[in-house]
Amino acid sequence: MIRFLLRRTVSTVLVLLAMSAVIYVVFFAAPHDPAVLVCGKGCDGARLAVVRHKLGTDLPVWEQYWQFLHGLVAGRSFDSGTDLTRCAAPCLGYSFQTDQPVLQMVTQRIPVDLSLTVGAMVIWLVLGVGTGLLSALRRGRLAERALTALTLAGMSTPVFLIGLMLVMLFCAYLQWMPFPSFVPFTDDPGQWAANLVLPWLSLALIMSAAYARMTRSSLLETLAEDHIRTNRAYGLSERRIVFGHALRGALVPVVTMLAIDVGQILGGAMLTESVFGFDGLGRLLVNSVNQIDLPVVVGVTLFAGFFIVIANAVADVLYALADPRVSVA
Amino acid sequence: MSETPTVAQRPDGSEPGSEGPDAPVPGREPSGPRPDRNQVWRRLRADRAAVAALVVVVLLVLMAVAAPLICALEGQNATTFHNNLIDSATGGVPIGPFGGASGDHWLGVEPGTGRDVLARLVDGAQVSLSVSLGATVVQIALGVLVGLAAGLGTRTVDTVLSRAMDLVIAFPSLVFAVALMAVVPGGFPRPLLLMLVIGILGWGQTARIVRGQVLSLRGLDYVAAARLTGARRHRVARREILPALAGPVITYGVLQLPANVTQEAGLSFLGVGVRPPTPSWGQMLASATDWFQADPSYVLLPAALLFVTVLAFTVLGESVRTALDPRAKSRLRAGIERRRKRPEEAQA
């Protein structure tokens, strides 16, 4: 187990390093000069050079990257020409556009994505696993065919499409609720949930389709295994066979999928956030990419990658815990 | 009673070794485990959902190909502004019901600009279909190349390439797509760029599948026989392995297509896809968010088209998968038998 965790940590660090390096290279190759964007209109050569020096974009790409890594591990100082700013250890730098510390910008946005993920996850698990169970146990009947068609439709709908339709129906047409805007949980839990219902639903409806399919096929596969046949031979009731024996094994791949999906959404649900105008990590990334705000892009991507890699590791551990045939070592 | 045969890796489920002796005869078609085309066609034709999906796909492709023709027939184009058709007092809502639909503008005009909606929809179909098709081709080409190399290469090659696959699969691809789309110079043709970006970020899964197939094919008698006759490695890859990969690769490709349609629409929705004035469904949907109440038809038209496109491709992909799956038939039969058996069990 310890060896496994160690190896996971090393590979996590390597993946994150590779990702940040790719971003540095990609943005260095970009034809846009962030200094021009920061400096604004009517900026002359001398001031542009000052701005470039302040942003650090006058250095070669590998040196910028090295300074970034150094800041991440040991902190770094920024010299704006007139004064020195010290940025402590996990330093992701300062936004080119707003001069805010990137770490703060990112951590401010995390509650939005966390709220989105948690609520949506509950709904899609109930919907998806329930549907999958039902369609597996009602094989070949009308209910199963209807469920299969519904899940196909769910898988085919882009998340922003369903979000748009929900907003259009409930906010613009029926006017049952105002257009959603994010309210922090700590401010008002009731408003928090009310405003999140539509985003949760749109995310969950899409995701549940995949979970229904996975649950169904996995359960059918488990029910065909020998140990279930043995249970049948013992004369156990179908209910005890399904819920007492088959389900545990059948849900292993579902749990794995869950861990990975949660990791993905935590790192920014760009499309959902955009539809509903929530300022989460995803929108932060889109905006900063458009403004060539390199430190913010790197910061958000690192966080997104971090969530995903951690989720993958969690999935592996869960897999091993749930299925005794798999060993982590 | 496991339904999974031990030769499950074989694309057509034929008996191992049955083709062994006569496989490498020169001048003949390599009789590797290639899916029987007639059988696949028959299965697809018998599947009503598949036929319906195929009809829809053909219609969509026709619409995209005939886009200039449709525009000419209507006498409109996708980029001309019609300020006389929108109400400037309300900020640009089209005049008349159904988004200003009329004999000149069959599906109305765009709010705010008065551009013809039908022309923009059919031009958008061109973008959507060509980008997703191109991206799928890129994904398959890269996936097959890398998968073949990993499956047939030395251990080191395999390890390195497998790690690369893991990395590409784990990458937050939408995040990177957004970043890449934003930094490439504006002069580069956007549809081509979309195609490449979606393709380059999405080959991991194909490569993984191909590698798995290659590893299981490599151990089969007919491939070993080909090698024993002195065939070189790339010849084995081309003549013996590659044809056997067609089934799984086609299946995965058809299933990948709707995902790519969604990806393109998503990127355009976020504003990093094709640049205006080139129309795209995602972009239309993004701009439609301001017109929910005033002009619902402008939201519903691209939404419906996008949904139908993705659904048709998904259904088609699922049907192709079932038709090519050697286990599908036996599974179906097993299901029927199990259902038939139930009453007897009850009696007993």
Side-chain angles (χ1 to χ4, degrees):
Chain A
M1 193 68 190
I2 290 172
R3 255 192 67 195
F4 167 77
L5 285 178
L6 210 69
R7 222 174 44 203
R8 267 292 173 180
T9 320
V10 171
S11 79
T12 303
V13 172
L14 283 180
V15 168
L16 293 179
L17 274 180
M19 271 168 54
S20 54
V22 168
I23 295 168
Y24 261 91
V25 172
V26 163
F27 274 78
F28 198 76
H32 319 271
D33 185 351
V36 176
L37 278 169
V38 171
C39 204
K41 277 191 183 136
C43 193
D44 58 3
R47 264 193 58 204
L48 205 61
V50 172
V51 174
R52 271 203 200 108
H53 180 67
K54 187 189 153 209
L55 299 180
T57 49
D58 54 343
L59 299 170
V61 63
W62 55 268
E63 193 146 351
Q64 287 184 47
Y65 186 57
W66 173 249
Q67 287 204 348
F68 165 76
L69 287 184
H70 193 272
L72 206 57
V73 179
R76 64 195 269 205
S77 314
F78 287 88
D79 182 6
S80 68
T82 48
D83 57 341
L84 269 176
T85 321
R86 178 80 194 147
C87 174
C91 174
L92 290 171
Y94 293 87
S95 161
F96 286 171
Q97 292 293 326
T98 63
D99 271 337
Q100 271 184 291
V102 173
L103 191 67
Q104 187 198 333
M105 289 175 82
V106 169
T107 44
Q108 267 173 1
R109 309 274 179 139
I110 286 179
V112 176
D113 290 295
L114 198 65
S115 308
L116 259 179
T117 312
V118 170
M121 185 187 76
V122 172
I123 302 178
W124 91 55
L125 271 183
V126 172
L127 265 181
V129 174
T131 313
L133 266 177
L134 215 68
S135 75
L137 299 179
R138 298 244 182 286
R139 280 203 74 185
R141 300 189 197 171
L142 192 70
E144 190 217 0
R145 295 185 61 178
L147 290 173
T148 313
L150 274 180
T151 47
L152 266 183
M155 287 204 325
S156 313
T157 320
V159 65
F160 58 93
L161 200 67
I162 212 160
L164 280 178
M165 293 299 116
L166 286 177
V167 171
M168 193 168 160
L169 182 63
F170 289 112
C171 307
Y173 187 65
L174 295 172
Q175 302 199 332
W176 285 0
M177 47 179 89
F179 287 88
S181 68
F182 184 73
V183 177
F185 182 76
T186 43
D187 285 9
D188 182 350
Q191 278 300 309
W192 170 79
N195 277 293
L196 275 162
V197 167
L198 291 184
W200 281 344
L201 271 181
S202 35
L203 257 179
L205 287 176
I206 305 296
M207 304 292 289
S208 59
Y211 282 77
R213 280 174 71 95
M214 177 68 97
T215 309
R216 175 176 182 275
S217 65
S218 172
L219 186 62
L220 286 179
E221 221 159 86
T222 315
L223 283 175
E225 276 172 15
D226 288 347
H227 68 102
I228 298 296
R229 187 186 52 183
T230 312
N231 283 331
R232 282 226 173 83
Y234 277 136
L236 259 63
S237 71
E238 196 65 24
R239 176 182 303 196
R240 275 200 62 189
I241 290 176
V242 171
F243 290 98
H245 296 268
L247 204 54
R248 182 192 145 113
L251 286 184
V252 172
V254 176
V255 171
T256 316
M257 191 157 89
L258 181 69
I260 290 166
D261 283 338
V262 166
Q264 293 260 14
I265 302 178
L266 271 181
M270 260 181 275
L271 292 166
T272 316
E273 286 168 25
S274 290
V275 171
F276 294 100
F278 283 16
D279 278 322
L281 283 176
R283 284 241 296 182
L284 181 63
L285 180 77
V286 178
N287 292 338
S288 48
V289 161
N290 283 326
Q291 298 170 327
I292 321 286
D293 199 340
L294 183 56
V296 185
V297 175
V298 176
V300 176
T301 320
L302 268 187
F303 264 84
F306 179 73
F307 285 132
I308 289 171
V309 179
I310 294 292
N312 275 306
V314 170
D316 281 357
V317 172
L318 286 177
Y319 200 87
L321 287 180
D323 191 338
R325 284 170 298 190
V326 182
S327 105
V328 281
Chain B
M1 37 151 269
S2 169
E3 285 173 6
T4 316
T6 44
V7 288
Q9 300 91 339
R10 297 173 60 83
D12 67 344
S14 58
E15 292 292 318
S18 61
E19 70 283 71
D22 52 32
V25 175
R28 268 177 63 179
E29 282 279 314
S31 46
R34 189 182 279 193
D36 178 354
R37 259 184 227 135
N38 288 328
Q39 199 184 8
V40 170
W41 261 121
R42 235 180 299 125
R43 282 190 197 168
L44 271 183
R45 271 210 312 265
D47 185 349
R48 261 179 298 172
V51 175
L54 193 64
V55 170
V56 174
V57 166
V58 168
L59 285 177
L60 282 167
V61 171
L62 276 180
M63 182 174 103
V65 172
L69 206 69
I70 295 172
C71 291
L73 208 62
E74 196 201 14
Q76 301 296 339
N77 64 55
T79 47
T80 308
F81 284 41
H82 300 280
N83 286 324
N84 54 329
L85 294 176
I86 52 174
D87 184 3
S88 54
T90 55
V93 178
I95 299 165
F98 299 109
S102 65
D104 289 335
H105 301 275
W106 299 346
L107 295 177
V109 293
E110 188 180 52
T113 61
R115 289 182 290 197
D116 185 73
V117 169
L118 177 66
R120 291 186 74 72
L121 282 175
V122 291
D123 277 12
Q126 237 172 14
V127 172
S128 175
L129 293 185
S130 58
V131 166
S132 48
L133 196 68
T136 312
V137 170
V138 173
Q139 284 166 350
I140 288 183
L142 282 174
V144 168
L145 272 180
V146 177
L148 264 181
L152 293 176
T154 61
R155 224 184 148 139
T156 329
V157 172
D158 186 26
T159 313
V160 170
L161 290 179
S162 294
R163 287 285 110 198
M165 288 174 210
D166 292 346
L167 199 69
V168 170
I169 290 170
F171 251 41
S173 65
L174 196 59
V175 172
F176 267 79
V178 168
L180 281 174
M181 292 303 296
V183 296
V184 172
F188 202 88
R190 299 298 278 186
L192 185 63
L193 178 64
L194 272 169
M195 219 180 261
L196 290 175
V197 165
I198 298 175
I200 287 168
L201 291 170
W203 54 267
Q205 204 66 48
T206 315
R208 197 180 262 181
I209 291 171
V210 168
R211 174 179 172 272
Q213 291 285 334
V214 170
L215 285 183
S216 69
L217 287 168
R218 203 171 65 165
L220 294 183
D221 289 348
Y222 85 98
V223 177
R227 221 182 264 156
L228 282 177
T229 59
R232 288 209 194 89
R233 195 180 279 178
H234 69 263
R235 197 199 138 86
V236 172
R238 215 178 58 239
R239 301 271 305 182
E240 316 295 342
I241 307 257
L242 213 50
L245 289 173
V249 166
I250 289 172
T251 311
Y252 195 72
V254 184
L255 285 169
Q256 196 64 19
L257 233 156
N260 290 339
V261 174
T262 308
Q263 182 103 332
E264 186 275 327
L267 287 172
S268 297
F269 183 79
L270 290 173
V272 293
V274 290
R275 292 256 164 84
T278 312
S280 121
W281 297 340
Q283 197 190 78
M284 289 175 86
L285 282 169
S287 67
T289 45
D290 298 329
W291 308 97
F292 278 142
Q293 269 141 325
D295 187 5
S297 73
Y298 183 60
V299 187
L300 291 175
L301 286 169
L305 258 182
L306 180 58
F307 177 70
V308 167
T309 307
V310 182
L311 183 65
F313 276 119
T314 311
V315 170
L316 194 63
E318 290 292 328
S319 307
V320 170
R321 194 211 330 243
T322 325
L324 282 171
D325 184 359
R327 283 181 286 163
K329 221 173 183 178
S330 59
R331 220 178 236 177
L332 203 68
R333 212 178 282 143
I336 292 164
E337 274 162 19
R338 198 175 299 150
R339 244 177 298 145
R340 277 202 196 123
K341 266 181 198 157
R342 250 183 215 148
E344 297 163 24
E345 280 166 11
Q347 283 162 20

